[in-house]
Amino acid sequence: MKKRQMKWLAVLSIFLILFLAACGTDESGSGSGDDSGKSKDPKFLSILTGGTQGTYYPLGGTFAELVSEETGIKTTAEVSQASAANMTALQEEEGDIAFVQTDIAYYGTEGTEMFEGNKLDTVVALGALYPETVQLVTLADSGINSFEDLKGKKVSVGAPGSGTYANAEQLLEIHGLSIEDDIQAQNLDFGESTDGLSTGQIQAAFITAGYPTSAVEALNATNKVNIIPVSEDKAKELIEKYPYYAVDAVPKGTYGLADEVPAVSVLAMLAVKKDLSEDLVYKITKGIYGNTDKISHAKGEFIKAETALDGIGIDVHPGAQKYFDEVNK
């Protein structure tokens, strides 16, 4: 009899243990300590932009607000060294979303140009934004009216390895000039460039950004600005060699210009870390491209879900692709 009682007590004990274990599992939602069922989404998101006087930074502030509202995750816009540095930062887990030029994104994922031997394999596209015009800025009284007039002059070409530097190098090449041999190259950011023009420390500056660029607008408030044109034949030659460029123009009235100035442009885009979840990137994409009416910057009119995959030369995150597939049916 005692043996039978002991047997039943043992069975009841086993059932009790199993019941308590099940309760613990239900409360935690994760089984035996495995976190695989829990969200891997970060608690904070950072958007890497550029300098405070470019176009990326003010737009980034607006995007941060839109993403925060859509995802419920606190998102901030961070000042950075722009395209090339942003691609490297994403690869090194130092940011989550970043503004980059389409040409620089391509170089990074292919491991060419400034990324030679350092192919970036954890960065993908979220979507295209707007044209970034390569603006060669001078003062009206500088005596510089063409690319050929740059020979021997002090010219800001951006930081080595930056998107602006690559644009300057390629445009000078098409005009028979080189950074190393034909100009006195200065590696300045947009604010330093316009300050240098104002004080006479440099005579011209390459600025790749959406117009109107705040740094150039500030310069024009105190000095009459001139934008050097890119002729139709030179633009065609450039595009034949570097197909990620497009024909563009700085409109009449921008910076007080009396006439439209022909130019070339690349595209600004957003890149993201590849390992962000599909659901989160879907929400990020929806937050930005689904609320373009809330973007007050002049470039907001170019940001559209319908054209968000145009000109993208790298893989697109599945979450972004899902959103664009839905809205562009």
Side-chain angles (χ1 to χ4, degrees):
M1 187 74 175
K2 286 184 177 180
K3 288 184 178 179
R4 186 176 295 177
Q5 287 176 336
M6 291 294 291
K7 185 177 180 181
W8 278 108
L9 283 173
V11 171
L12 287 171
S13 297
I14 292 170
F15 275 114
L16 181 62
I17 291 169
L18 291 172
F19 174 75
L20 291 173
C23 289
T25 299
D26 289 341
E27 288 173 2
S28 68
S30 60
S32 56
D34 180 8
D35 290 333
S36 61
K38 292 184 178 180
S39 171
K40 301 296 183 182
D41 292 345
K43 293 181 179 179
F44 304 98
L45 290 169
S46 62
I47 301 178
L48 306 176
T49 62
T52 57
Q53 298 193 60
T55 305
Y56 290 171
Y57 185 71
L59 267 179
T62 300
F63 290 176
E65 292 177 5
L66 296 176
V67 171
S68 294
E69 290 173 6
E70 185 66 36
T71 65
I73 299 173
K74 182 176 174 57
T75 306
T76 56
E78 310 289 346
V79 175
S80 75
Q81 294 301 310
S83 292
N86 288 352
M87 288 290 289
T88 301
L90 287 184
Q91 177 79 9
E92 296 177 353
E93 304 274 328
E94 294 173 357
D96 304 292
I97 310 163
F99 283 78
V100 296
Q101 293 176 199
T102 50
D103 52 335
I104 304 305
Y106 177 81
Y107 297 152
T109 56
E110 292 295 312
T112 60
E113 297 291 337
M114 68 284 290
F115 298 100
E116 188 72 45
N118 184 32
K119 188 174 182 178
L120 309 182
D121 58 3
T122 65
V123 181
V124 291
L126 188 143
L129 296 171
Y130 58 86
E132 286 201 284
T133 308
V134 186
Q135 304 165 76
L136 178 53
V137 183
T138 66
L139 298 185
D141 60 1
S142 67
I144 298 173
N145 298 298
S146 68
F147 276 79
E148 289 73 19
D149 292 335
L150 295 177
K151 195 159 187 175
K153 302 294 195 303
K154 290 182 179 179
V155 182
S156 173
V157 294
S162 68
T164 298
Y165 188 96
N167 302 146
E169 188 172 46
Q170 291 159 359
L171 268 169
L172 288 170
E173 173 197 342
I174 293 301
H175 288 86
L177 302 170
S178 76
I179 286 179
E180 295 82 6
D181 302 327
D182 297 307
I183 63 171
Q184 298 180 55
Q186 310 293 307
N187 303 121
L188 309 176
D189 65 24
F190 294 169
E192 292 168 338
S193 293
T194 51
D195 286 346
L197 286 168
S198 180
T199 60
Q201 292 179 322
I202 62 174
Q203 286 76 54
F206 283 91
I207 293 180
T208 301
Y211 59 77
T213 309
S214 59
V216 184
E217 286 189 304
L219 175 65
N220 189 61
T222 56
N223 300 268
K224 187 172 176 54
V225 163
N226 187 31
I227 306 294
I228 304 305
V230 178
S231 65
E232 183 179 349
D233 61 322
K234 289 298 181 184
K236 182 179 180 181
E237 187 179 344
L238 180 74
I239 294 166
E240 284 178 354
K241 186 164 187 179
Y242 304 107
Y244 38 75
Y245 283 97
V247 173
D248 199 0
V250 181
K252 174 182 176 180
T254 308
Y255 316 131
L257 296 172
D259 299 294
E260 179 181 271
V261 178
V264 293
S265 64
V266 289
L267 276 176
M269 62 174 281
L270 289 174
V272 294
K273 291 194 306 185
K274 193 175 189 176
D275 63 359
L276 292 181
S277 73
E278 180 176 325
D279 181 61
L280 176 57
V281 175
Y282 176 90
K283 291 177 181 176
I284 292 170
T285 310
K286 180 180 179 182
I288 295 171
Y289 291 88
N291 293 284
T292 55
D293 58 320
K294 297 179 182 178
I295 301 173
S296 59
H297 192 281
K299 286 302 173 188
E301 66 176 290
F302 294 95
I303 303 173
K304 302 175 182 177
E306 294 83 359
T307 57
L309 298 180
D310 293 352
I312 297 291
I314 68 173
D315 291 341
V316 178
H317 194 287
Q321 186 70 58
K322 180 181 177 182
Y323 175 77
F324 294 130
D325 286 346
E326 286 182 4
V327 300
N328 294 326
K329 285 180 181 177

